[in-house]
Amino acid sequence: SAASREAIRAIRDWAVNGPVARPTPRSANDFGRLVFSDAVQRIKLPRDVYKRLRRTINRGEPLDESVADAVAVAVKDWALEHGATHYTHWFQPLTGITAEKHDAFLSPTPDGKAVTEFSGKELIKGEPDASSFPSGGMRSTFEARGYTAWDPTSPPWIYKTASGTTLVIPTAFISWTGESLDKKTPLLRSIEALSKQAVRVLKLFGSKADRVTTTCGPEQEYFLIDAHFYYTRPDLIGAGRTLFGAKPPKGQELEDQYFGSIPERVLACMREVEDELYAIGVPVKTRHNEVAPSQYEIAPIFEQANVATDHQMMVMETLKRVAPKHGLACLLHEKPFAGINGSGKHVNWSMGDSEGNNLLNPGDTPHDNIQFLVFCAAVMRAVNKYQGLLRMSVASAGNDHRLGANEAPPAIISIFLGDMLTGIFEQIEKGATRSTTHGGLLETGVDVLPKLPRDAGDRNRTSPFAFTGNKFEFRAVSSNQSIAFPNIVLNVAVADSLDYIATELEKAVEKGADFEDAVGKLLVKLTKENKQIIFNGNNYSDAWQKEASKRGLLNLRNTVDALPQLASAEAVKLFEAYKVLNKRELEARLEINLETYNKSINVEAQTMVLMANRYILPAALGYLTQVAQSVAAGKAAGVQSKEAKKLLVHVTKLVDAFKQRTEALTIAIAHEGNGESLKHAKYMRDKIVPAMAALREVGDAIESVVPSNDWPLPTYREMLFIK
Ligand code: ADP
Ligand code: MG
């Protein structure tokens, strides 16, 4: 195609001339240079204001207006020093992306001049017109207002590009009736809930910790392809993935891409992405080639989950924004190309106490190890008990192409603990039944714990939820989604387990039981009740599907099956118990997720019809004419090719089938949803998705016969390998 020729020219020029600007050297001082960080706050704020702000940040103490006013003045002056002209309350509505509305610092004065102004009120609260953000029926248009509320636990930063400089204030987004319209509010609530319950458990172990933070390190996979390809594919622009595309002669079978050397132009792009993220305090650390051709990964060092979630959104936005500057397009979709690996986002997750301990770190003493086992068992119970919710938290039309396919974690949620840790739980279960005497537990299992492997040796790439030495890694999360909801579900589910554990142990201790004995008995119970969720084998195998079904584990194969978990009686009970989301907020989210699913599939189907009618069919008819003409010419000349005639029949059949299937899809999408989104979603899944697959099949068959010069779209071979 023409785009391919342009791309080849651009790539060749780049190879000869190199990047337009050489990257400047990076120093440690560049990190967080545009963040109103703790260090900056200490310098810029009056001492007492600084102290009170830190108490709010570290301990959740309420913040009064005089403190807010003082912070506002300082943050404004600091932002102006950096050349900011505007500020924005930045938030995460239920759309999946972030939202911002910019306001100038400048205010006119009555004498015809202007001053820069920014009050505590403006820092704390904003009022964007919320009427166009999804609310899932929580808000009718006449009460459309929502407000944004400053989240002091995530430090403001300056968003600086050649085109403008803006102070960004991370905020929560809430309706006037106090319902959460975003992802940050429930995340903050879930972090709080987990902290409270974890502290109860720690106290029983004699710890002085007064807070527990959730820690999170998300690894982002993505594709980069030449921008010419992107701009000429309606499917990539409209749906984020290719809806047609024949399998290339070479895919990823040679496995020569993973950890291979990074192409120069891609490296230049990565470098600029890192520079920008560095400046706003995102601690990006790792970059490498991923398994599929033109697939890469970027990973930060873990942070407090709320900040990590904000930063993760910025990672995605920065990748998308910077790539075009290097003539590239970044694809964050879970499955941009059929037949090769899709992209995920491994969310590494743990808990840390205010004394600086990672609670999922196996300790060096038996005492520490019992505590570790208790927290580990809490996660095991949480994942087992709320497996449906965890599955739901990663469900989307895009992720349906990954989960359960032979490359990504399956739709069945299970935990990989590794042989050693599994063995320890098995021993505990047996040992403690054998002897309830004090110390029995320690001798059978816990003493060996410090030898737990913490390196990459004991890994299982197929598990959706794996213990990796000192943290869990939730691998079913998708490349394109916010990590907020998976984090929320995990936090609230683990909070529920820790609450249960604390209550049981407090009761036992109150009755005068020996603490370690009580812990031993509880661990046995937790292991017995939840060990069905442990699976260390190959999650991709058919045997596991059967085994999991025997164990009674949920297998929610697609988004439509998984989403209703969100508003199940069990979910409502859990979320309301910890005041993370109420029934209405949950139902609203279910509604929004279903609508998002329906809209995504609809956009894909419409785009396919467009491409079928305006790109592929004309090319197919053109080729059909060519073949027909050469058959006719042969006939006229009296030399008839049998093979040419066969080809004519073959292409005619393809064209017929293609036209018929285009018609079928067109008719299918004309079906109106009757306002009942779950029913509509089932229709999309059962009728539209198969009709799309049927159309693609013929479209791809046509691609493999039409002459390359006449093919109107960049091919897989070109998009994935010309770089
Ligand atoms: P890999 O999984 O590729 O071997 P690492 O084990 O180094 O890589 O870590 C992957 C991610 O897990 C990184 O983002 C890292 O910061 C994060 N991580 C490490 N420790 C924790 C923790 N305690 N809590 C949350 N994330 C963590
Ligand atoms: Mg990893």
Side-chain angles (χ1 to χ4, degrees), residues 157-202:
W157 67 83
I158 286 178
Y159 177 58
K160 193 172 193 148
T161 71
S163 324
T165 305
T166 308
L167 169 68
V168 181
I169 302 158
T171 58
F173 181 42
I174 302 158
S175 81
W176 279 99
T177 47
E179 275 152 338
S180 145
L181 297 171
D182 72 341
K183 299 182 172 162
K184 188 187 267 290
T185 315
L187 178 61
L188 289 170
R189 293 176 186 157
S190 74
I191 290 168
E192 222 27 66
L194 183 135
S195 174
K196 201 170 146 196
Q197 302 307 329
V199 165
R200 275 177 71 202
V201 173
L202 285 176

Side-chain angles (χ1 to χ4, degrees), residues 215-219 286 288 297 299-303 346-351 358 456 459 461 468 470-473:
T215 53
C216 179
E219 307 165 49
T286 309
H288 62 79
E297 181 179 297
I301 295 169
F302 71 94
E303 299 176 276
H346 296 174
V347 173
N348 294 272
W349 179 96
S350 189
M351 298 164 273
N358 174 0
R459 287 284 173 108
R461 307 300 300 176
T468 47
N470 58 2
K471 62 189 188 288
F472 281 95
E473 186 170 339

Side-chain angles (χ1 to χ4, degrees), residues 305-360:
N306 175 40
V307 176
T309 303
D310 286 353
H311 282 170
Q312 219 291 303
M313 295 309 289
M314 289 312 296
V315 168
M316 290 197 281
E317 286 180 23
T318 307
L319 280 168
K320 292 226 98 153
R321 191 169 43 76
V322 169
K325 294 201 217 169
H326 298 267
L328 296 164
C330 174
L331 309 177
L332 293 176
H333 194 280
E334 295 81 358
K335 193 75 173 177
F337 303 99
I340 58 170
N341 272 19
S343 300
K345 188 142 54 197
H346 296 174
V347 173
N348 294 272
W349 179 96
S350 189
M351 298 164 273
D353 70 15
S354 46
E355 311 275 278
N357 305 304
N358 174 0
L359 301 178
L360 292 175

